[in-house]
Amino acid sequence: MKVLVVGGGGREHALCWKIAQSPKVRELYCAPGNGGIGQVAELVEIAPTDIEGLVRFARDRGIDLTVVGPEAPLVAGIVDAFEAEGLEIFGPRRAAAEIEGSKAFAKEFMKRHGIPTAPYRIFSDPAEATAWIKASEEKVVVKASGLAGGKGAIVTEDQEEAMRAVETIMVERAFGPAGDLVVVEQRLYGEEASFIAFSDGTHCLPMPSSQDHKPVFDGDRGPNTGGMGAYSPAPLITPELSSRVMAEIMVPTIRGLAEEGRPYRGVLYAGLMIDQEGNPWVLEFNCRFGDPETQPILVRMKGDLVEVLEACLKGRLDEVSVGWDPRAAVCVVMASGGYPGPYEKGKEIHGLEEAEGMEDVWVFHAGTTFKDGRFFTAGGRVLGVTGLGETIPEAIERTYRAVERISWEGVHYRRDIGQKALKYL
């Protein structure tokens, strides 16, 4: 079969790497891809948001299955457009993808279906939001309701910071139209984890737990990013807690969306806060594979990913089982100097071959180009270096040994990815 992967980041490199292993796949394309993806798939110069162009390419090339990585085309209705042309595509339709596309919708949905989430208010007027914050004594998180590349949630320490966050989002328009509405919610305390599952609209099949590291600097300091690293499994999520998350969050969400006429086929990602009592709360939903969580999860996945994706599309997810490597995986994101702020591109990357030559190490490219036999930086997050180990400490050690072999001018990365897990071991 012919498969098209939409997107060009580290998540899409991991997806292409895994899909290429399927005996069913004869031709693999990625639009637009990146320098590293070009080693496993044929790159197609079409932007992920150019839905018409992607439909045309899939139709003209006889693509049998399209797999969508990023959220923007899903929220824009790429699945609806492909289905209207009779083309097979993996991901939720526009109405179901609203669970990520609108945080306001997601909060109201959770309230309707009794899914645990922080108390909140939704505002369309910055003056009203500011007045409510002034009158409130709670510490809050201020969130742009729309898509903001993982950077639209501002965790605040006091009223002044919270009012400034409203100003940034709604008045200065830091995230553009994503800030038309803001969600102001009570700040939750505990530890964050990612819980990601496949769904065919009725059934739900969980992937192993994982944990992302959003802030740019060690110790969870600095502004939020798209994710600076991840590990799987997350020992914070015990088997008992995993069962609770399925029963209290994932299954009710899939059921509730179906009841509301928004059947959910694709990957559903719940960003969770586990409080001091061990209770799970939903911080946000995403309508796609996580990035960088996909990288450590997929290196642990046994078997054929394409078979699972097809089962989701055919409503047969209950008929498949997936095996997972019992070992731990850690992914460290190497970023351009200045990220998540302004950064320079075009820096030559050294040491890739040496790192990739290590046993149980994979280097997934997120923002690279390949020219004249050399790789150069082309994004904020550049590489996701991922290693397997018998234990989390062993995976951490192996991954950082690989990271140390790679360099370019201005590179920076967190040096504490996976450390949170150690207290549970």
Side-chain angles (χ1 to χ4, degrees):
M1 63 192 298
K2 299 178 182 179
V3 178
L4 168 66
V5 174
V6 175
R11 162 187 52 215
E12 287 77 34
H13 191 180
L15 285 167
C16 286
W17 168 80
K18 189 66 180 171
I19 288 167
Q21 296 168 25
S22 171
K24 296 183 166 197
V25 176
R26 188 164 47 88
E27 293 177 26
L28 179 59
Y29 302 89
C30 187
N34 61 44
I37 294 173
Q39 313 295 299
V40 292
E42 184 177 327
L43 303 187
V44 183
E45 284 192 39
I46 304 175
T49 49
D50 181 1
I51 294 173
E52 269 185 40
L54 290 165
V55 167
R56 193 162 50 246
F57 175 83
R59 191 179 56 228
D60 293 349
R61 286 296 180 97
I63 298 294
D64 300 295
L65 173 64
T66 298
V67 181
V68 185
E71 61 275 15
L74 291 167
V75 170
I78 187 171
V79 172
D80 309 66
F82 268 64
E83 288 182 347
E85 292 284 335
L87 296 165
E88 289 273 27
I89 183 167
F90 177 81
R93 294 173 185 146
R94 186 204 305 257
E98 196 173 357
I99 198 106
E100 176 169 7
S102 168
K103 288 184 171 62
F105 166 79
K107 293 294 276 192
E108 300 280 66
F109 172 86
M110 286 187 272
K111 185 178 180 181
R112 287 195 296 276
H113 293 275
I115 294 162
T117 191
Y120 66 95
R121 292 285 298 271
I122 297 167
F123 297 97
S124 57
D125 181 335
E128 285 181 20
T130 300
W132 185 85
I133 287 166
K134 261 185 184 169
S136 170
E137 295 183 6
E138 297 280 1
K139 286 190 178 181
V140 297
V141 180
V142 182
K143 298 179 176 180
S145 178
L147 297 181
K151 301 167 193 169
I154 302 174
V155 180
T156 67
E157 294 292 340
D158 53 38
Q159 288 173 319
E160 193 172 314
E161 265 191 41
M163 291 188 286
R164 174 72 190 133
V166 170
E167 178 91 2
T168 299
I169 295 170
M170 301 196 83
V171 180
E172 295 171 8
R173 311 291 283 174
F175 308 110
D180 288 348
L181 293 177
V182 294
V183 174
V184 181
E185 66 181 34
Q186 183 182 318
R187 188 170 165 183
L188 296 173
Y189 291 87
E191 195 168 333
E192 291 187 37
S194 305
F195 199 97
I196 309 174
F198 296 104
S199 171
D200 64 3
T202 305
H203 310 99
C204 198
L205 179 66
M207 300 181 211
S209 60
S210 56
Q211 200 159 17
D212 185 13
H213 299 65
K214 283 280 189 196
V216 67
F217 299 127
D218 287 8
D220 286 341
R221 292 177 299 107
N224 271 351
T225 67
M228 292 300 291
Y231 60 91
S232 174
L236 166 70
I237 306 289
T238 62
E240 295 75 23
L241 184 52
S242 179
S243 296
R244 276 191 68 188
V245 172
M246 284 295 288
E248 297 173 20
I249 295 169
M250 306 304 281
V251 171
T253 299
I254 297 300
R255 187 188 302 130
L257 286 166
E259 287 170 2
E260 295 191 9
R262 302 169 185 254
Y264 195 100
R265 295 188 312 175
V267 167
L268 180 66
Y269 168 141
L272 304 176
M273 179 70 80
I274 312 303
D275 69 18
Q276 286 91 337
E277 284 76 49
N279 300 306
W281 301 80
V282 178
L283 297 175
E284 64 177 6
F285 280 115
N286 295 325
C287 62
R288 34 73 190 183
F289 287 95
D291 189 354
E293 296 97 330
T294 299
Q295 290 85 306
I297 287 174
L298 286 188
V299 300
R300 296 185 60 215
M301 184 181 186
K302 295 178 173 180
D304 191 340
L305 174 60
V306 173
E307 283 188 357
V308 182
L309 304 184
E310 288 183 313
C312 289
L313 294 178
K314 291 170 182 166
R316 295 191 292 98
L317 191 56
D318 57 326
E319 297 174 22
V320 302
S321 60
V322 181
W324 301 97
D325 193 317
R327 292 178 293 171
V330 171
C331 172
V332 174
V333 170
M334 302 182 74
S336 293
Y339 176 80
Y343 54 84
E344 292 182 6
K345 301 178 182 179
K347 307 295 182 184
E348 186 176 354
I349 304 168
H350 304 280
L352 280 171
E353 282 187 15
E354 195 181 344
E356 289 170 337
M358 293 174 60
E359 188 178 358
D360 289 332
V361 168
W362 297 267
V363 180
F364 295 115
H365 292 229
T368 67
T369 55
F370 186 66
K371 286 182 291 193
D372 302 324
R374 297 179 294 167
F375 286 98
F376 298 87
T377 65
R381 293 188 295 171
V382 177
L383 301 172
V385 182
T386 306
L388 275 174
E390 293 296 331
T391 62
I392 289 174
E394 192 178 304
I396 292 170
E397 194 265 339
R398 173 170 283 132
T399 303
Y400 276 103
R401 268 197 289 125
V403 166
E404 285 159 11
R405 286 162 164 74
I406 300 170
S407 63
W408 66 85
E409 183 190 334
V411 61
H412 75 95
Y413 52 88
R414 284 183 56 159
R415 288 166 168 78
D416 64 345
I417 303 299
Q419 294 297 318
K420 290 177 188 175
L422 303 185
K423 63 178 174 285
Y424 298 100
L425 303 179

